[in-house]
Amino acid sequence: MVATVKPQSLKIFRRFTLLLMPGIFTLVTSLTLVGCTQQSQKAENQSSASNVSDTKPSGIKTKVLRMGYQQAGDLVRITKVLEKRLEPLGIKVEWAQFAQGPQLMEAMNVGKIDLGSVGETPPIFAQAAGAEIVYVVGRRRTEKTGKGSAIAVPPNSPIKSVKDIKGQKVVFQKASASHYFIIRALEEAGLKYSDIQVLSIPNVEAASAFLEGKIPVWVSGDPHLARAEKLGKARIIRTAQGLDSPGGYYIAGKQFAIENPELLRIVIEEIDKIDRWAEAHPQETAKLIAPEQKLPPDVMKLVLSRRSYGLRAISPELIKEQQRIADYFYKNGLLPKSLNVQEAMLTPEQYAAITPPTISQK
């Protein structure tokens, strides 16, 4: 099942708690033969349900895993590896699509999803807003990290470098990975965040406007960026490569993570497996993803050429890196108070329970 949750619709749920009400069954008893048959059937159904329950590990309390994914797509969803692994345990997988990380985090905050992948920035702003979330596992950093994100301008723009965007309207999604990227790029060029005019627009909406030449400076990522490049509509002035980001994460609702450690371990195992496969089989991966994203082969090839795969365990070193990002936002006046990211972490024992030994520690 795949659902699309729009940002505006999420606001409706801000003051409400999602309630999962168990079904109410009415049993009609009778002394007739039909009544006896119904009772017999009911007993058989209860026996079957009990058998399914018995196969479910004690570290799994839910019957539905609600996964969030971004507009850029998700190989895990496309290949249905989670469905194949969890169906024998009686667990259903539901998917919801979001424009970018901030929208996904907002949905998690109001209880609409359990787990999703985002960049380094969205969980910081989500935690600052009071969301009960935890970091589950990190995305492995490689030499490709940051290549698929860039500050772009129209081909005929007079802007030649980051220094030239001073005073310009710069479009990106606030509280996304692009937010950290642009601040670091400005600092590197000797500029301040206040030196630009910020317009916060999700990539999926900004892409069309940029292609029409209506946006002077766009901070974006693949596949939107790759499509604009291949259409000859974008000139890159700086990629995010080398700007010391710890990379992305899988984030979960805190209570969900605490109650379902065995489920998280299974999910992490399957994500790691499909990531390893994708890294070793780029052509096959392109054939799987291209139809889903409706991308031409040349665009898909560019996207995959700069996409990183693999997971990274949550470690003291990674927590320190993420804390540095949170401190950076606070220093630049973008968080109302300092943030302790350790409060959005599980205990070492809990991480040991959900992290397979195959996951990289670096």
Side-chain angles (χ1 to χ4, degrees), residues 144-160:
K144 293 182 181 180
T145 301
K147 283 188 174 182
S149 298
I151 302 171
V153 297
N156 298 325
S157 170
I159 296 173
K160 303 299 181 184

Side-chain angles (χ1 to χ4, degrees), residues 98-271:
F98 301 91
Q100 280 183 255
Q103 288 85 351
L104 190 154
M105 286 284 86
E106 187 175 0
M108 188 173 291
N109 187 33
V110 296
K112 299 294 288 182
I113 60 171
D114 303 312
L115 183 68
S117 177
V118 296
E120 82 287 297
T121 301
I124 289 174
F125 281 84
Q127 184 186 352
E132 291 291 319
I133 59 170
V134 290
Y135 294 76
V136 172
V137 69
R139 280 286 187 189
R140 185 164 57 91
R141 235 177 2 191
T142 72
E143 68 280 356
K144 293 182 181 180
T145 301
K147 283 188 174 182
S149 298
I151 302 171
V153 297
N156 298 325
S157 170
I159 296 173
K160 303 299 181 184
S161 68
V162 177
K163 287 185 178 182
D164 299 332
I165 70 174
K166 183 175 182 179
Q168 295 286 335
K169 291 180 180 179
V170 180
V171 173
F172 60 92
Q173 168 78 69
K174 284 185 177 180
S176 72
S178 294
H179 206 162
Y180 175 69
F181 170 22
I182 187 64
I183 300 174
R184 283 288 290 110
L186 288 168
E187 180 182 58
E188 182 184 65
L191 298 176
K192 298 179 181 178
Y193 189 60
S194 58
D195 286 330
I196 60 172
Q197 301 177 52
V198 175
L199 295 178
S200 183
I201 304 175
N203 274 333
V204 66
E205 298 174 24
S208 296
F210 183 79
L211 292 177
E212 294 171 4
K214 297 178 180 179
I215 293 177
V217 183
W218 186 31
V219 187
S220 182
D222 289 335
H224 310 286
L225 177 65
R227 184 185 291 113
E229 286 182 82
K230 286 299 183 180
L231 288 173
K233 300 288 186 178
R235 175 164 51 82
I236 292 176
I237 61 173
R238 174 69 160 96
T239 71
Q241 191 175 23
L243 288 183
D244 61 25
S245 166
Y249 301 89
Y250 273 90
I251 306 294
K254 186 173 185 177
Q255 194 61 34
F256 173 84
I258 292 172
E259 293 180 351
N260 297 279
E262 183 62 24
L263 176 56
L264 284 178
R265 187 181 183 89
I266 291 171
V267 171
I268 293 171
E269 283 179 355
E270 292 304 320
I271 293 172

Side-chain angles (χ1 to χ4, degrees), residues 13-86:
F13 296 94
R14 285 178 188 268
R15 297 184 181 181
F16 295 88
T17 301
L18 187 66
L19 301 179
L20 301 178
M21 298 297 292
I24 301 175
F25 297 92
T26 302
L27 302 179
V28 180
T29 60
S30 172
L31 296 177
T32 64
L33 181 60
V34 173
C36 292
T37 303
Q38 291 174 336
Q39 291 294 333
S40 177
Q41 184 63 51
K42 179 192 171 197
E44 290 178 8
N45 291 342
Q46 287 178 332
S47 177
S48 298
S50 177
N51 289 338
V52 171
S53 178
D54 289 344
T55 64
K56 187 185 297 183
S58 60
I60 301 178
K61 304 299 183 185
T62 188
K63 293 182 179 179
V64 179
L65 170 62
R66 301 170 301 169
M67 295 287 296
Y69 72 104
Q70 295 186 42
Q71 192 72 31
D74 193 301
L75 186 61
V76 179
R77 180 184 66 86
I78 294 170
T79 55
K80 297 186 180 297
V81 291
L82 295 184
E83 285 84 348
K84 294 171 186 174
R85 180 79 181 271
L86 296 176

Side-chain angles (χ1 to χ4, degrees), residues 287-303:
K287 291 178 181 178
L288 287 171
I289 298 178
E292 288 283 331
Q293 297 187 4
K294 298 179 174 59
L295 295 175
D298 61 335
V299 175
M300 193 70 253
K301 183 177 180 181
L302 179 59
V303 170

